[in-house]
Amino acid sequence: MDEEKTVDEKQAKRLPLSLYGLSPQDISTVLELQKPYQGRQIWDWLVKGATSFEQMTNLSLAERHRLQESMPAFVSSSIQSSQIDETGATKLAIRLHDGKIVECVMLSDKEGRKTACLSSQVGCAMGCAFCRTGTMGLSRNLAAEEIIEQFMHLKTLGEITHIVFMGMGEPMANFGAVTRAIRYFHEPAGLDISLRRITISTCGVVPGIFKLAEQKLGVRLAVSLVTADNMQRDRLMPVNKAWPLEELRKALIRYQHAVGKRFTFEYCMIHAVNTDEKSARKLAQYIRDLDVMINLIPWNPAAELPWETPTTQEIDEFTNMLDRLRVPYTRRFSRGRDINGACGQLAVPLNTGK
Ligand code: SF4
């Protein structure tokens, strides 16, 4: 009840739900600060992860009290629960201001990279047949501040070096909020995450790839391909009916020319579905003339879905075929699988919302 009251009070006063994502000038305006430089001071504290005005010790005590009273909570979401697996992957369930839940994951690797896997939507409308999030349907888009706050919650676990938009939702279907959040992450005076360390992953929403090419945002692009056979892709990924493989290819060639960067295809390997010789040959043919790296990811189990993870032998045979066909690939090992935090495993009941 208290949380709902705070939201209502903010709306009555026309305060934003969060200070994250606002510029120093906007912070000055919404908080009615007397001295313009205080907007920058507060912005700096937010970047450091401050959660209350009390922590902002370069503001006068009187000002801190005034701000605390006028906006008791300036973060719109909170950590509802946290799970960690033996690889060190940590999944957070984040409770949003309207009671809905999204999940985000922190992944660590041996090279010391800490990657924040962020969600862009509550649920997803794309309905990929191999993905748990796809079973939820779409509840709503996330606002940029809600995306930024996921990062800030994960940042309490350690310094983040990389960001991937591979959590819940299709980032291209919420392009404005995602790019606003990216600009915040990249701001040199703030979090200063290099654009080369940020990846947007799409299931193949062609207009989004064109937009990315036009805007030359500088982030990395990953496309979930799964199969290079149109009929099979239609069945596994409904997005293919709107933008079949030929359309996707045209968009990727445009992207490549505009941005001049290698992109990746995510190839989720599903037992006895897309790991045979025909699949390897189609893949080799499809990537001809594309500057692409294939990320091979074994399907991560989800009890409610009818697929199986390929065996090690099956993966070995598939990669041998790719070697013979000179397909460049990297073999990924799933992290976060035991906590349902790996690729395609994120899902929460939608009825947790109002
Ligand atoms: Fe949505 Fe991505 Fe899952 Fe497809 S794979 S249903 S786009 S979250």
Side-chain angles (χ1 to χ4, degrees), residues 121 123-135 165-171 201-205 224 236-239 343-346:
Q121 298 180 306
C124 183
M126 306 315 286
C128 303
F130 49 85
C131 169
R132 284 188 84 212
T133 315
T135 63
F165 283 89
M166 292 185 186
M168 297 164 82
E170 165 55 56
S201 174
T202 177
C203 65
V205 176
S224 183
L236 292 171
M237 303 181 75
V239 69
C343 269
Q345 287 187 314
L346 301 185

Side-chain angles (χ1 to χ4, degrees), residues 94-257:
I94 304 293
R95 188 180 166 85
L96 305 171
H97 68 86
D98 57 1
K100 296 189 190 304
I101 308 287
V102 282
E103 294 180 325
C104 54
V105 186
M106 177 84 118
L107 301 160
S108 315
D109 65 19
K110 286 186 200 124
E111 287 78 40
R113 278 188 292 241
K114 285 198 178 291
T115 301
C117 177
L118 304 181
S119 293
S120 54
Q121 298 180 306
V122 184
C124 183
M126 306 315 286
C128 303
F130 49 85
C131 169
R132 284 188 84 212
T133 315
T135 63
M136 294 171 60
L138 176 67
S139 175
R140 70 170 172 86
N141 278 340
L142 292 177
E145 34 279 63
E146 292 173 316
I147 297 172
I148 296 166
E149 287 183 14
Q150 288 173 62
F151 179 98
M152 299 313 292
H153 291 307
L154 287 171
K155 193 168 176 279
T156 61
L157 305 171
E159 273 315 305
I160 294 167
T161 60
H162 292 71
I163 297 171
V164 291
F165 283 89
M166 292 185 186
M168 297 164 82
E170 165 55 56
M172 298 299 194
N174 189 14
F175 194 85
V178 167
T179 49
R180 223 182 111 207
I182 287 173
R183 289 198 175 95
Y184 189 89
F185 296 140
H186 179 56
E187 171 59 48
L191 295 163
D192 195 21
I193 307 269
S194 161
L195 292 172
R196 282 176 290 120
R197 294 179 168 207
I198 301 177
T199 303
I200 293 185
S201 174
T202 177
C203 65
V205 176
V206 160
I209 298 172
F210 281 135
K211 254 193 241 173
L212 211 56
E214 265 163 41
Q215 296 194 3
K216 295 195 174 67
L217 200 58
V219 294
R220 290 187 178 277
L221 172 67
V223 178
S224 183
L225 186 71
V226 183
T227 169
D229 177 282
N230 259 326
M231 270 165 57
Q232 190 177 47
R233 201 161 188 269
D234 278 353
R235 286 196 299 275
L236 292 171
M237 303 181 75
V239 69
N240 199 65
K241 292 180 188 153
W243 296 289
L245 287 164
E246 300 73 32
E247 300 286 317
L248 178 62
R249 199 164 190 286
K250 277 185 209 154
L252 290 168
I253 288 173
R254 167 94 69 89
Y255 171 84
Q256 221 167 253
H257 286 160

Side-chain angles (χ1 to χ4, degrees), residues 38 41-42 45 53 56-61 63-64 67:
Q38 288 177 325
Q41 286 178 319
I42 292 174
W45 282 107
F53 291 111
M56 303 182 184
T57 47
N58 53 358
L59 302 175
S60 73
L61 197 56
E63 185 64 347
R64 278 183 266 160
L67 292 170

